[in-house]
């Protein structure tokens, strides 16, 4: 192991930058912790528990039984709440489509999504993530699904991916509050897993209605999942990125281009050059419109 004392200032800065790009946020704890002492204490506690007289546990059993019997005579047990029956996927899709089509504005659509209970993802998520930014800008940026930071803060593209997205937009002269940011799925899938086909079918009417109501001039699609949803292909983002396509929104079509998601770029920074080419193409398209 190389000591930091042996590194030059430039080498140390490069090492810290590498750790930051890899997602390392803390190198040391504030106070030293003796893990060996913790382990020894844990083993001693287990030995003491195993050596405890069995007579104590035998005496505890009748006492516990008596206490349980006394509680049962004082108040009857309440039946456990019955789980709510789930809505069949086909019916949930119909309900989502009706709720989305009934919304005549983005605020009404937000209310409809927040009141919708037909998708199981909502029951495990903390927040319902709706679009943020300027809906009149004519520019729409659509990601895949909320992450842990989004779910915690209640807005799309939070945390480190959001910070990187801000830099990506700024590189082509755009600001977060001057575009409309949204995501295909309004609720974070547990463990950041990929949404299932049924879950996507339920959420699709909401994102399609968002596009129709916002009526953007161009759309920037971020990530593999979102690109597959809109372009109807099973290729990876590397095969789908950098090509202009069209997204249908009711009675009109909107030009759209896909690029890598900021989270992908945090994982593999070498792909930033690919995203930069896509951003330049997006900037050129906006200048034409």
């Amino acid at each position: 192991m190389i000591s930091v004392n042996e590194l030059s200032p430039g080498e140390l800065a490069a090492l810290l930058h590498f750790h930051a790009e890899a997602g390392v946020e803390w190198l040391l704890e504030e106070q030293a912790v003796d893990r060996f002492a913790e382990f020894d204490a844990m083993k001693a506690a287990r030995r003491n528990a195993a050596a405890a007289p069995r007579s104590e546990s035998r005496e505890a059993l009748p006492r516990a039984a008596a206490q349980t019997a006394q509680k049962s005579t004082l108040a009857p047990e309440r039946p456990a709440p019955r789980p709510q029956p789930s809505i069949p996927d086909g019916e949930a899709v119909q309900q989502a489509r009706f709720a989305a089509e009934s919304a005549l504005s983005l605020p009404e659509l937000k209310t409809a999504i927040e009141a919708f209970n037909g998708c199981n993802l909502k029951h495990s998520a903390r927040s319902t993530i709706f679009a943020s930014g300027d809906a009149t800008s004519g520019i729409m940026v659509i990601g895949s699904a909320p992450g842990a930071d989004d779910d915690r803060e209640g807005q799309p593209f939070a945390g480190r991916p959001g910070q990187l997205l801000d830099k990506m937009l700024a590189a082509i002269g755009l600001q977060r509050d001057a575009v409309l940011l949204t995501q295909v799925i309004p609720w974070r899938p547990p463990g950041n897993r990929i949404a299932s086909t049924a879950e996507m079918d339920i959420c699709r009417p909401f994102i399609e209605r968002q596009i129709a109501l916002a009526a953007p001039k161009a759309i920037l699609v971020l990530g593999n999942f979102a690109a597959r949803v809109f372009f109807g292909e099973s290729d990876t983002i590397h095969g789908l990125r950098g090509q202009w396509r069209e997204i249908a929104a009711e009675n009109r079509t909107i030009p759209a281009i896909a690029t890598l998601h900021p989270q992908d770029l945090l994982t593999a920074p070498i792909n930033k050059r690919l995203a930069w080419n896509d951003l330049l193409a997006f900037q050129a398209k906006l200048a034409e419109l």
Side-chain angles (χ1 to χ4, degrees), residues 93-177:
V93 172
Q94 294 179 359
Q95 292 182 4
R97 185 176 297 113
F98 176 80
E101 293 176 353
S102 300
L104 303 181
S105 65
L106 287 175
E108 289 185 9
L109 182 60
K110 178 182 180 182
T111 301
I113 295 176
E114 291 174 341
F116 183 76
N117 293 314
C119 184
N120 65 297
L121 294 178
K122 181 178 182 180
H123 307 306
S124 60
R126 176 183 301 182
S127 304
T128 297
I129 309 300
F130 192 70
S132 67
D134 186 0
T136 64
S137 64
I139 304 172
M140 199 168 188
V141 180
I142 306 178
S144 298
D149 292 323
D150 305 342
D151 192 36
R152 181 166 47 252
E153 298 186 21
Q155 65 176 354
F157 299 104
R160 294 181 67 229
Q163 295 171 6
L164 181 53
L165 177 61
D166 292 346
K167 295 179 180 178
M168 294 167 64
L169 294 175
I172 57 173
L174 300 175
Q175 301 296 327
R176 169 186 285 260
D177 56 359

Side-chain angles (χ1 to χ4, degrees), residues 231-273:
F231 301 154
E233 299 183 18
S234 59
D235 202 351
T236 66
I237 188 60
H238 290 278
L240 298 173
R241 54 155 291 272
Q243 305 174 40
W244 281 104
R245 303 165 188 260
E246 292 184 340
I247 294 178
E250 295 186 355
N251 59 347
R252 61 191 297 261
T253 57
I254 302 168
I257 189 172
T259 191
L260 290 94
H261 194 281
Q263 184 61 56
D264 300 333
L265 300 178
L266 291 173
T267 304
I270 193 174
N271 290 325
K272 289 182 179 180
R273 56 185 178 84

